[in-house]
Amino acid sequence: MIRFEEIGNEIIIRYTPRDGLYWITKKFDNNEKITIGRTFYFEKDDLYKEIGSEEFTIIEEAQFSFANLEGDYFRVKKTAIGIENELFIHKSIKFQPNIFKTWNNISIFRKIFDVIEGDLFIGPKESDLHMEEFNKLLKVFPNSTELQKYSNARISCILKEYVNIKQDFISEYNSYMSKKSVAKSTKSSLSASFAEYETIKYQIVLNRLKDMLKNEKGYSESDWQNEIIDVLILIYPKYITVFKEVSVYDDYDLKERRLDYMLVDSNGNVDVVEIKKPNSNALISTRTYRDNYVPVRELSGTIMQVEKYLFHLNKSGRQGEIKLTNKYKDLLPDGFKINITNPNAILILGREEELGIEQLRDLEVIKRKYKNVMDIVTYDDLIRRLERIIEKFQSQLPKADSRSDSVV
């Protein structure tokens, strides 16, 4: 584990190796350097406190000098991160491992100094690189060496406005891509560029959903719905926003009916979402009726409820579109209009874990019966969809034997 600590006018690194300090002391006794996380490099002279000294009270921790304050900036030891030019980081910036290395231990500043000339000051607006721009850089920083030319182009595109660039990396990347034969790869290079990010994103969502299902009783109905709607927005990327508790007028019963959620796509078309908490008995009967499994009351009742929502939404017509557009105009882009054009619905409810093969088959028949007006989705469906999405992006990742940090 790596931690930064500011002591007086100095930044030190506290490092607790999993397998103890023996290998560090052995290398130092042989006058060798050590490498931590493929990013930080230290010699024995870099020790902030001698290992084994009386002041050194944590026996399994090593402490290294990393940066010294000069005016308003900390000068980072060049040897500590393997760079040739000087790196200055403003004293207002909190030192953390993620500003020096990516999640898979690619050195961020070695990569930056591959692209820029001269020294680099990071900090307030008068610095070479404002902290806000540096944060943007961290968010898009590539973490696959297979995309080296592409990553150089992206980084230089951000940095060229602030510092001198060694060469035209953007033209170099475009030239490289134009020469690359399409026949060599069936995957979209653009899709492959984001495959690692997408894999991580959807894995986080999947883990979150599984944890929620394990602890479902710890959520209120409202909190549960808010969490699941976030998952849906990621699984159905055509939707750009969601409205909560939307009222639709029922001119038969002369009252307002409240929809839990309304989704809006990029063209302004709306769909309805109904979210129920998971219940293993919410889908299909345990006994057959005339040799068929039939929907239980919760499923059939929810279907009827949603069909009424869609019915009244359609009947609201042009006036309904105007009303919704005016009500939510502050949440919509300028000039954006809501369209009510045969809206569909998404129903989220039920678990399949206790259902048999015949029950699952009849459940699929029910789903397909209503396919033209609503998508009936179980929580197990959500898990499978996320797993398939992850598998798709994982298939686009570079092969393990072709990935290396050596060129970074």
Side-chain angles (χ1 to χ4, degrees):
M1 183 178 71
I2 299 171
R3 294 182 294 118
F4 288 91
E5 182 177 342
E6 183 176 343
I7 301 179
N9 293 331
E10 190 170 0
I11 298 291
I12 69 166
I13 280 184
R14 292 179 176 272
Y15 175 54
T16 308
R18 293 179 180 177
D19 47 358
L21 298 175
Y22 172 76
W23 68 276
I24 295 179
T25 56
K26 184 176 180 181
K27 279 186 173 289
F28 285 169
D29 288 343
N30 294 328
N31 294 319
E32 298 178 6
K33 291 183 179 180
I34 66 165
T35 303
I36 300 175
R38 289 184 285 179
T39 303
F40 305 106
Y41 306 91
F42 297 108
E43 299 175 337
K44 187 174 183 179
D45 290 342
D46 294 317
L47 283 169
Y48 179 72
K49 291 182 180 179
E50 188 72 25
I51 296 176
S53 67
E54 291 182 3
E55 292 182 320
F56 195 83
T57 56
I58 304 176
I59 196 168
E60 294 301 325
E61 178 187 85
Q63 301 175 4
F64 300 97
S65 297
F66 186 72
N68 290 286
L69 188 63
E70 296 183 4
D72 291 332
Y73 291 82
F74 282 100
R75 181 200 291 262
V76 176
K77 282 189 175 182
K78 295 186 290 185
T79 55
I81 54 174
I83 58 175
E84 295 182 358
N85 298 89
E86 299 290 352
L87 172 63
F88 296 87
I89 299 178
H90 196 265
K91 63 184 181 181
S92 63
I93 298 172
K94 184 178 180 180
F95 279 60
Q96 300 179 90
N98 65 355
I99 69 174
F100 293 94
K101 66 187 186 74
T102 62
W103 66 275
N104 59 346
N105 291 329
I106 290 180
S107 172
I108 290 172
F109 286 106
R110 287 213 308 277
K111 194 64 178 172
I112 287 177
F113 281 102
D114 280 347
V115 172
I116 71 170
E117 292 180 337
D119 301 335
L120 179 62
F121 285 76
I122 299 176
K125 291 183 178 180
E126 63 270 17
S127 307
D128 295 328
L129 186 61
H130 188 265
M131 191 58 196
E132 183 178 337
E133 297 300 325
F134 181 62
N135 285 332
K136 290 181 183 178
L137 177 63
L138 293 181
K139 289 179 181 178
V140 300
F141 202 92
N143 52 20
S144 171
T145 56
E146 185 162 320
L147 301 174
Q148 183 182 15
K149 291 184 181 293
Y150 175 63
S151 65
N152 283 349
R154 291 176 67 183
I155 296 169
S156 65
C157 183
I158 294 175
L159 296 178
K160 69 181 181 180
E161 300 297 327
Y162 307 95
V163 292
N164 295 327
I165 302 300
K166 289 181 178 179
Q167 61 198 73
D168 190 348
F169 290 97
I170 297 175
S171 296
E172 183 180 297
Y173 170 70
N174 290 334
S175 175
Y176 168 79
M177 292 303 296
S178 65
K179 293 177 182 179
K180 189 174 180 180
S181 171
V182 177
K184 290 182 180 180
S185 174
T186 58
K187 299 183 182 69
S188 162
S189 60
L190 182 60
S191 177
S193 300
F194 296 100
E196 290 182 83
Y197 302 100
E198 295 299 309
T199 300
I200 295 169
K201 178 179 76 176
Y202 285 108
Q203 188 64 58
I204 291 172
V205 176
L206 177 60
N207 293 342
R208 175 66 172 160
L209 178 59
K210 288 182 176 179
D211 286 341
M212 287 176 61
L213 290 170
K214 289 179 182 177
N215 303 287
E216 171 259 328
K217 293 182 179 178
Y219 292 85
S220 67
E221 185 85 14
S222 177
D223 289 341
W224 181 269
Q225 291 175 339
N226 289 335
E227 292 279 354
I228 297 301
I229 202 71
D230 286 341
V231 174
L232 287 185
I233 293 295
L234 289 170
I235 295 180
Y236 297 90
K238 72 173 184 175
Y239 297 113
I240 61 170
T241 191
V242 57
F243 302 144
K244 186 177 180 181
E245 297 182 349
V246 178
S247 294
V248 177
Y249 188 67
D250 178 350
D251 57 5
Y252 288 93
D253 293 334
L254 303 179
K255 65 179 183 180
E256 296 283 344
R257 290 186 179 270
R258 184 179 60 81
L259 315 181
D260 285 341
Y261 294 96
M262 178 180 286
L263 296 171
V264 184
D265 71 16
S266 57
N267 294 317
N269 299 308
V270 297
D271 290 317
V272 173
V273 179
E274 186 70 21
I275 300 172
K276 302 292 186 183
K277 294 187 77 172
N279 184 343
S280 58
N281 300 318
L283 297 170
I284 202 160
S285 61
T286 56
R287 296 182 179 181
T288 58
Y289 173 75
R290 295 186 177 180
D291 206 28
N292 296 299
Y293 292 98
V294 297
V296 298
R297 173 178 288 187
E298 182 168 351
L299 177 55
S300 59
T302 303
I303 290 172
M304 186 62 189
Q305 176 187 6
V306 171
E307 284 192 304
K308 275 199 171 183
Y309 288 157
L310 296 176
F311 173 74
H312 292 296
L313 193 57
N314 273 315
K315 278 188 66 64
S316 68
R318 179 62 180 155
Q319 291 302 314
E321 293 177 340
I322 295 172
K323 182 179 178 181
L324 289 171
T325 300
N326 290 335
K327 182 176 181 180
Y328 296 105
K329 63 182 179 181
D330 292 339
L331 303 177
L332 298 170
D334 291 341
F336 195 90
K337 295 181 179 180
I338 297 295
N339 301 312
I340 301 174
T341 311
N342 292 328
N344 282 8
I346 302 173
L347 274 61
I348 311 293
L349 77 172
R351 298 300 308 271
E352 301 174 11
E353 50 194 358
E354 297 180 6
L355 301 182
I357 295 175
E358 291 297 329
Q359 287 175 298
L360 290 172
R361 186 176 294 126
D362 286 355
L363 177 61
E364 187 62 30
V365 172
I366 296 167
K367 288 181 180 181
R368 292 184 177 275
K369 174 185 176 183
Y370 293 98
K371 191 70 176 176
N372 64 320
V373 290
M374 65 186 70
D375 191 6
I376 301 173
V377 182
T378 70
Y379 285 94
D380 300 277
D381 284 329
L382 286 181
I383 290 173
R384 284 191 292 269
R385 292 185 191 192
L386 285 166
E387 288 174 342
R388 298 296 87 79
I389 291 171
I390 292 169
E391 289 171 3
K392 179 191 75 171
F393 284 113
Q394 284 179 333
S395 70
Q396 297 175 354
L397 291 172
K399 300 298 181 182
D401 59 1
S402 67
R403 301 174 66 190
S404 169
D405 283 342
S406 60
V407 298
V408 179

